[in-house]
Amino acid sequence: MRFQLLGPLSIAEGHDVVVLKPSKPSSLLAALLLHPGSVVSTGYLLRALWDDDQPATARAALQSCVLRLRRIFAKYGVTGNVIEAVPGGYRMNADADTLDLVRFRALVREADDAGDAEGELYRLKEALTLWQGPLLANVPSPMLHRDEVPGLTEERLRTLERACDIELALGRCRQVLVDLWEAARRHPGRERFSEQLIEALYRTGRQSEALSEYRSVKGRLKEELGIDPGPSLQRLELSILRGDDLGPLALDPGFDRTAPLPGGGAPPLAARTEPLAIAAPAPATVPASALPPVPPAPAVRPVPPVPSFTGRTAERAAINARLTAGSPDTAVVVLSGAPGIGKTALARQAAHDTQDSFPGGVFILAMTREDGSPVTPAEALTHLPPPGAADGATLLVLDDVTSPDQVRPLLPAAAGSAAIVTSRRGLAGLMATHGGSVHRLSTLEPAESRQLLAAVLGADRVAAEPEAAAELGRICGYFPLSLRIAAARLLTRPGLRIEDCVAWLAEDLPARLSLADDPRLSVPQVFGGALRRLEPRWQEAFHRLGDHEGLLLPSHALGNSPEAEEALERLADAGLLEEGPPGPYRIHRLLKIYARQQARESQHSQAATARH
């Protein structure tokens, strides 16, 4: 007996498949299977069943749903204690033999470890065959479709992109055209599929069709988003217009096949996030014997500016001066601050500003995986040139560092080299051993927030509703991440008034500061990721701050014990609080709202567990 989640939710035995009817038990089963082997909190399950419209008897009804689901299992021969009641919620165990989602992720991991291109492609294609139609089409849960389906869809599309990359690299341009036509039409927002399709058409002698496809993509982007195709597509168009020989095919060295997927798996050090992520060419994922000979890829590529970057004038000038001072010792700059405050954007912009001072190259590495676990220095070193191999001073950007020990073995030694380190922590230990400068970022000023909105939406649209634009900055807490999420929502809805967007967001902060098509662009998810890195006792301390009066917190806000003082220090070091002794701590309004919501959800879960 096995469960099928990658399509309509169903139970299968051999070749017999039973598609479950849309019902509350179906939503409950889907919510549990999306997190196999993990404790799924009562609060999460309640939202999966009733979203925000939960009846007064929701917790009792949840227990009834569990009983109904167990009866469905018995009806179809699923025996044993499949659903476990545990403190805080329920758990459902599954493995690669009993759940297609687990099997899919296992095959993707096996593909990463394959020693040859054919083996990798075989496993990726096998993984893709597990997808059997529209995800959760028979599951009537708005929350799961809004919060979970986009992440699963992203896993499939990244796998499909990778499979097409390998087929192109193996010279199978004609064979992959059918898949690319379908992918480009079904997912017009993903430029990579269009790029693959255009290149495949050109390489098979269909130059006019390739140009027609490019112009279709360009026209759609202009009409819907007001933007041009990315640099990679533009270079491809120029090559086609000139009739260039593109040369032998090879896997794009900027594409990291271990890039993180929302559901797990082996995450990356530097994902291909055009146009921002810049890294040295990754180790080849297809052996040279499997591909035609190719000229070596350049070790250094230009670092593009961060789109619509605004504000941070003083910090940016100070950082650039520090990086280009030409010190014989490695210059270290640490950017710290709250989650979503804009550390990564400032680091990348500084890398763009100063790249001409580093002839040895600029290397940007993500130092934390999607699950919050740190990348080890040994893993990071595999993505950097060996000592002495770089031609001159280098700039290393280490993004989302969790401890000083991650940084010390990676610092470049060549004279004039530098490192920018972003972290939610202050990394005082690194400063004690290596010196440098620390910039603790705060929120944007109201004028800077308006500039950011104008840069994204256009000055005319912001000028038409100046008061609404100012209020949007305020309810977004002047956080760059919040502002960019709100601006993206407005950008894709050109007829929506800023005032109406403000009213809608204000009804449910910070939950509505999220984008459905990219689970990573979510203020609650970013806040939650920072919180989950802490021990449970510090998480609980953060929850308690939600009901504290005001945004200023005295040193005795959690009590007068040494542990209470340590809790505040831990939260401040994690970027969840600011300032501290001898003055008061400060908590940002969005973080306080989030703390209050999390505290109430935790209380509801504990109460439900006690009743159960």
Side-chain angles (χ1 to χ4, degrees):
M1 193 68 66
R2 67 188 185 278
F3 298 97
Q4 295 179 345
L5 191 65
L6 303 180
L9 182 63
S10 55
I11 300 175
E13 176 66 39
H15 295 292
D16 297 323
V17 178
V18 177
V19 178
L20 300 181
K21 296 179 180 179
S23 63
K24 295 294 185 189
S26 296
S27 295
L28 174 62
L29 176 58
L32 292 169
L33 290 175
L34 284 166
H35 306 277
S38 300
V39 176
V40 183
S41 71
T42 302
Y44 178 92
L45 294 175
L46 292 176
R47 292 196 304 275
L49 295 178
W50 289 282
D51 210 350
D52 294 329
D53 189 24
Q54 299 176 16
T57 58
R59 295 178 182 279
L62 172 60
Q63 296 177 18
S64 298
C65 274
V66 173
L67 294 176
R68 289 171 61 192
L69 187 54
R70 286 171 172 159
R71 294 192 193 105
I72 292 173
F73 286 171
K75 176 181 177 180
Y76 294 113
V78 181
T79 59
N81 188 24
V82 181
I83 304 177
E84 302 177 63
V86 295
Y90 294 85
R91 176 171 56 208
M92 188 168 176
N93 293 314
D95 56 25
D97 293 325
T98 57
L99 178 60
D100 56 1
L101 177 61
V102 177
R103 175 64 176 159
F104 170 81
R105 289 171 176 166
L107 285 167
V108 172
R109 287 195 297 272
E110 290 175 18
D112 290 342
D113 298 330
D116 63 284
E118 292 287 1
E120 183 176 0
L121 181 60
Y122 177 86
R123 288 165 179 82
L124 292 176
K125 285 195 168 184
E126 184 180 355
L128 290 167
T129 62
L130 297 173
W131 295 73
Q132 299 294 321
L135 276 175
L136 306 184
N138 56 333
V139 174
S141 170
M143 187 275 270
L144 294 181
H145 285 276
R146 180 183 67 242
D147 296 346
E148 299 289 355
V149 166
L152 290 174
T153 302
E154 176 67 16
E155 291 192 54
R156 176 183 175 273
L157 294 181
R158 288 192 68 107
T159 302
L160 179 57
E161 283 180 2
R162 182 62 190 166
C164 292
D165 271 340
I166 296 175
E167 295 231 61
L168 288 171
L170 294 174
R172 299 171 185 170
C173 298
R174 297 184 188 279
Q175 295 91 321
V176 79
L177 272 175
V178 174
D179 289 339
L180 288 175
W181 276 117
E182 181 181 13
R185 294 299 179 266
R186 287 194 176 187
H187 308 283
R190 297 182 76 95
E191 281 191 42
R192 181 60 183 152
F193 285 137
S194 297
E195 183 182 346
Q196 290 172 321
L197 173 59
I198 292 167
E199 183 169 353
L201 286 170
Y202 181 59
R203 288 184 179 277
T204 52
R206 298 157 72 172
Q207 182 179 15
S208 60
E209 290 180 70
L211 285 172
S212 176
E213 183 67 15
Y214 173 85
R215 286 162 187 163
S216 175
V217 172
K218 182 178 181 179
R220 185 182 66 249
L221 292 174
K222 267 293 187 191
E223 180 180 350
E224 297 178 2
L225 302 175
I227 61 175
D228 291 319
S232 184
L233 261 177
Q234 292 184 38
R235 289 193 296 269
L236 181 57
E237 182 213 23
L238 183 60
S239 295
I240 296 173
L241 288 171
R242 294 186 308 203
D244 290 348
D245 181 357
L246 298 183
L249 282 156
L251 288 176
D252 178 11
F255 186 99
D256 189 340
R257 64 190 169 99
T258 59
L261 296 174
L269 296 175
R272 185 175 190 257
T273 54
E274 289 278 333
L276 296 182
I278 306 297
T285 53
V286 179
S289 58
L291 297 172
V294 297
V300 181
R301 290 179 286 164
V303 182
V306 175
S308 309
F309 186 88
T310 56
R312 310 291 189 202
T313 304
E315 294 99 331
R316 185 174 169 186
I319 293 167
N320 293 352
R322 175 83 181 181
L323 295 176
T324 58
S327 171
D329 299 322
T330 300
V332 179
V333 175
V334 173
L335 306 181
S336 64
I341 206 70
K343 301 180 292 293
T344 300
L346 178 56
R348 293 181 182 276
Q349 186 62 39
H352 165 76
D353 293 342
T354 61
Q355 60 185 316
D356 290 343
S357 298
F358 299 99
V362 177
F363 303 90
I364 300 179
L365 303 183
M367 297 302 292
T368 304
R369 299 184 173 87
E370 281 286 309
D371 62 2
S373 62
V375 171
T376 67
E379 292 173 303
L381 283 169
T382 64
H383 288 252
L384 296 174
D391 186 17
T394 60
L395 174 61
L396 178 61
V397 180
L398 301 175
D399 191 31
D400 203 8
V401 165
T402 61
S403 71
D405 288 338
Q406 268 189 306
V407 178
R408 294 187 183 108
L410 305 179
L411 294 177
S417 293
I420 307 176
V421 180
T422 76
S423 178
R424 293 165 188 168
R425 305 178 62 183
L427 302 182
L430 179 64
M431 293 296 98
T433 57
H434 286 74
S437 62
V438 178
H439 297 267
R440 183 85 175 184
L441 301 187
S442 60
T443 55
L444 296 176
E445 295 295 327
E448 293 174 328
S449 298
R450 178 188 172 93
Q451 291 169 9
L452 176 56
L453 292 174
V456 178
L457 299 176
D460 292 343
R461 191 171 180 185
V462 172
E465 297 183 76
E467 294 181 359
E471 180 63 11
L472 181 57
R474 190 192 69 80
I475 69 165
C476 287
Y478 306 114
F479 267 59
L481 175 64
S482 304
L483 287 162
R484 285 188 178 274
I485 290 172
R489 181 176 294 279
L490 285 162
L491 189 65
T492 56
R493 296 166 173 82
L496 179 65
R497 298 169 62 220
I498 298 177
E499 181 181 3
D500 294 335
C501 181
V502 168
W504 181 79
L505 290 173
E507 290 176 359
D508 189 9
L509 287 173
R512 288 183 173 174
L513 287 169
S514 302
L515 296 180
D517 61 351
D518 192 338
R520 293 166 297 183
L521 289 176
S522 164
V523 170
Q525 180 162 318
V526 171
F527 285 175
L531 192 61
R532 285 190 294 272
R533 294 186 191 182
L534 301 177
E535 296 179 28
R537 55 177 173 160
W538 311 134
Q539 295 182 33
E540 175 61 28
F542 177 75
H543 294 164
R544 289 163 55 195
L545 294 176
D547 291 324
H548 196 280
E549 286 291 333
L551 302 179
L552 291 180
L553 307 171
S555 57
H556 58 273
L558 294 173
N560 293 312
S561 67
E563 183 172 348
E565 293 181 9
E566 183 182 1
L568 291 173
E569 277 294 282
R570 294 276 187 170
L571 294 174
D573 190 51
L576 299 172
L577 298 179
E578 293 296 330
E579 305 301 334
Y585 292 91
R586 300 172 185 271
I587 184 170
H588 190 276
R589 186 173 64 89
L590 284 182
L591 281 164
K592 184 176 181 181
I593 295 172
Y594 180 75
R596 186 184 304 127
Q597 293 172 345
Q598 291 297 299
R600 291 174 182 170
E601 183 173 312
S602 178
Q603 290 168 3
H604 290 159
S605 297
Q606 292 172 6
T609 302
R611 287 196 301 271
H612 186 72

